[in-house]
Amino acid sequence: MAAADAPITNPLLRSKAYYGGSWQTTDGATFEVRNPASGNVIATVTEADPEMTRAAVSSAANAFTKWKKRTARERSNLLYRWFELITDHREALAQLLTLEQGKPLLEAKGEVTYGASFVRWFAEEAPRIYGDLAPASSQNKRTVVLKEPVGVVAAITPWNFPVAMITRKVAPALAAGCTVVVKPSEETPLCALALAELADRAGFPPGVFNVLPTTMVKEVGEVLTTHPSVRKVSFTGSTEVGRLLMRQCAGTLKKLSLELGGNAPFIVFDDADLDAAVAGAVASKYRNAGQTCICANRFYVQRAVYDEFYDKLRREVGKLKVGDGFDAAVKIGPLINKEAVTKVTEMLNEARTEGAVVWTPLSCDLPAGNYLAPTVVTEVSAAMRLVREEIFGPVSPLLPFDREEDAIELANATEAGLAAYFYGKDHARIWRVAEALDYGMVGVNTGAISTAAAPFGGVKQSGFGREGGKYGIEEYLTTKYVCWQVE
Ligand code: SIN
């Protein structure tokens, strides 16, 4: 199928904003969505403006008064229905995802399954929200603790996982009894609108789930972060934007979850199973063309196994075909846009100037467009941008180390604290290193840590709040204490 033809036939393609339970437009204002593989326009969608944003927030606030009173089982049943519909439409959603985001179709299908798993998980969590009866301070009093939904939630989501980053926020919010306004990335609004279509079919009441596609990021973001009816903002994106949103939220003291940038170290100790470490490295680094917040960003390899790891890694990276995500043989799709390619290319060029050696597979035949060859970089120093900053591209910088304490020091020498990985067999060391790494998530002998059951989130400048698992729903609840004088 030609990429440019897909939207015409995709049954989930929607082009209007969705709020108050219907599809809405603004005086003909629209913007274009492009396929990063070809640059072709694949859809023209409604441009939500600040006025529309206020209207969507109002409809979410109206809906909240009734939605929060539904029983947990009723909310759960609707989430289950949404899960079934997402699962039934996996193929169509994955096609839209590859079309607007670029990742290989197989990965896109994996993301839809992963995204749906949050909806099922929180359908299961909705009826398990418990309060407490705390010890009383006197015989005639009772100390009752209630868990209540926080209110209207604004979810500001990124382009790298256009399905899963929405469901990971929206499903726990709806399960808790909150209503949600989603502002998806302007690069990938189509998956968000497709999810709205499926939520509509699932039967969520009008105003419970709303989606505002827009390129007026600043203006719409300002309404969402300052509107008094919005009680919680959940954002996934860069640390810089996270800080700005936090400042904007300060005026109305909103509850916040910020899942921000990472700079994940990947440590290989000399007792590691090197084949497994290479497989984990490839899975962690090159999925989504390296555009994942938890991608391994820099590799520290113990000197005794450095050369062998380098050889094995090159062998595997050499097999990764780059191209359009609709080609079944492709493992690395395009980067999201030209600016992303320029940024990564500049980082590589700077590293070369500073003495790094950049290896690219000989057979790598790059199509025209936003493509980058996968690379492995050696002769790297800690001062290089490739090490200090999040790369967000298919680039693996390798650095040797001698002692365990050196690896920990190097790994922790960053302001980021999202994910870290290490490979090794010594059990005592596994505990020591897992505890010493200053990160919200640690992968031990695995490069794949994402699952609906786990608390996803970071420390330090990677933000705060957790998504997923039993922890994810807490972010959308407040605790009310009722002091009851019984006689
Ligand atoms: C992210 O990049 O923030 C999400 C990655 C994941 O959930 O695996």
Side-chain angles (χ1 to χ4, degrees):
M1 175 180 51
D5 297 333
I8 299 158
T9 55
N10 196 299
L12 292 181
L13 182 76
R14 296 292 176 276
S15 58
K16 294 179 182 166
Y18 178 81
Y19 69 88
S22 51
W23 299 96
Q24 316 253 5
T25 56
T26 34
D27 294 341
T30 56
F31 69 96
E32 290 174 340
V33 183
R34 286 177 189 274
N35 177 350
S38 62
N40 291 341
V41 174
I42 49 178
T44 302
V45 302
T46 294
E47 175 89 279
D49 61 10
E51 198 184 322
M52 184 182 260
T53 308
R54 283 186 281 273
V57 170
S58 288
S59 77
N62 288 336
F64 177 63
T65 56
K66 292 206 179 98
W67 180 245
K68 69 175 177 186
K69 292 192 182 136
R70 293 279 192 112
T71 65
R73 183 54 67 195
E74 285 174 315
R75 293 198 298 268
S76 169
N77 287 343
L78 285 169
L79 283 163
Y80 269 119
R81 184 72 198 117
W82 195 30
F83 162 74
E84 283 166 359
L85 286 165
I86 295 171
T87 306
D88 291 349
H89 292 82
R90 180 171 178 252
E91 183 66 39
L93 265 171
Q95 294 265 345
L96 271 186
L97 208 168
T98 295
L99 203 55
E100 67 174 346
Q101 199 273 344
K103 69 179 61 171
L105 190 57
L106 195 64
E107 262 189 72
K109 288 181 190 172
E111 179 181 338
V112 176
T113 301
Y114 176 50
S117 74
F118 288 103
V119 182
R120 182 176 53 192
W121 181 274
F122 288 106
E124 290 158 354
E125 281 299 297
R128 318 233 183 287
I129 301 168
Y130 293 99
D132 269 319
L133 191 60
S137 57
S138 65
Q139 281 185 356
N140 64 350
K141 280 189 172 165
R142 298 295 177 267
T143 305
V144 183
V145 180
L146 304 177
K147 290 286 182 182
E148 296 187 339
V150 69
V152 175
V153 173
I156 304 178
T157 58
W159 50 260
N160 60 347
F161 288 84
V163 169
M165 294 306 98
I166 292 179
T167 54
R168 193 158 79 182
K169 296 180 191 307
V170 172
L174 300 186
C178 299
T179 55
V180 188
V181 178
V182 178
K183 190 213 77 61
S185 164
E186 65 275 28
E187 307 277 4
T188 55
L190 302 181
C191 286
L193 296 172
L195 287 171
E197 168 64 27
L198 296 176
D200 189 86
R201 290 187 204 172
F204 287 102
V208 166
F209 178 49
N210 310 277
V211 177
L212 300 176
T214 188
T215 61
M216 301 178 72
V217 181
K218 207 166 149 268
E219 295 85 346
V220 167
E222 190 162 343
V223 175
L224 292 175
T225 50
T226 57
H227 198 298
S229 294
V230 175
R231 293 311 318 144
K232 155 103 192 176
V233 171
S234 178
F235 168 70
T236 296
S238 72
T239 298
E240 192 192 345
V241 174
R243 285 197 192 105
L244 172 75
L245 297 178
M246 190 167 173
R247 276 197 295 276
Q248 290 179 183
C249 285
T252 45
L253 286 180
K254 298 188 196 317
K255 197 170 158 99
L256 266 170
S257 295
L258 298 177
E259 198 261 274
L260 308 177
N263 180 356
F266 188 111
I267 304 168
V268 183
F269 289 107
D270 56 11
D271 62 342
D273 174 337
L274 284 193
D275 291 325
V278 166
V282 171
S284 167
K285 174 76 254 186
Y286 296 96
R287 83 171 161 131
N288 204 12
Q291 304 171 110
T292 302
C293 301
I294 56 170
C295 269
N297 202 59
R298 50 205 163 104
F299 293 80
Y300 297 105
V301 186
Q302 203 152 17
R303 207 171 295 277
V305 293
Y306 180 90
D307 289 341
E308 196 182 343
F309 179 83
Y310 177 47
D311 288 344
K312 283 178 186 273
L313 183 62
R314 277 188 303 174
R315 205 170 311 140
E316 291 310 308
V317 172
K319 296 178 189 163
L320 302 175
K321 183 174 175 197
V322 180
D324 189 318
F326 284 104
D327 174 344
V330 159
K331 294 284 187 285
I332 300 184
L335 296 201
I336 190 68
N337 53 33
K338 215 161 72 191
E339 292 72 34
V341 176
T342 306
K343 190 198 116 186
V344 180
T345 308
E346 277 172 12
M347 282 172 126
L348 278 170
N349 288 342
E350 265 177 51
R352 269 195 199 93
T353 312
E354 291 161 15
V357 176
V358 178
W359 174 87
T360 308
L362 273 180
S363 59
C364 194
D365 211 3
L366 280 191
N370 302 327
Y371 293 100
L372 263 185
T375 53
V376 181
V377 189
T378 51
E379 305 302 324
V380 176
S381 81
M384 289 177 184
R385 264 177 81 200
L386 285 181
V387 175
R388 288 185 289 110
E389 291 178 22
E390 190 175 33
I391 303 169
F392 246 55
V395 178
S396 295
L398 260 52
L399 299 98
F401 72 90
D402 292 304
R403 300 171 313 155
E404 177 185 319
E405 48 273 46
D406 300 335
I408 291 166
E409 196 181 324
L410 290 163
N412 285 341
T414 169
E415 293 206 314
L418 193 58
Y421 305 85
F422 67 92
Y423 276 72
K425 293 201 185 98
D426 179 327
H427 280 196
R429 177 158 66 191
I430 285 175
W431 276 115
R432 271 198 311 275
V433 176
E435 288 175 2
L437 287 169
D438 230 349
Y439 288 82
M441 298 173 280
V442 178
V444 183
N445 293 327
T446 177
I449 57 174
S450 302
T451 161
F456 191 105
V459 296
K460 294 161 68 179
Q461 301 303 303
S462 293
F464 45 78
R466 292 295 178 267
E467 297 188 317
K470 67 174 182 177
Y471 314 88
I473 203 158
E474 283 294 326
E475 304 285 330
Y476 299 95
L477 293 168
T478 55
T479 303
K480 181 186 277 177
Y481 154 50
V482 178
C483 180
W484 184 356
Q485 175 126 352
V486 290
E487 58 189 48

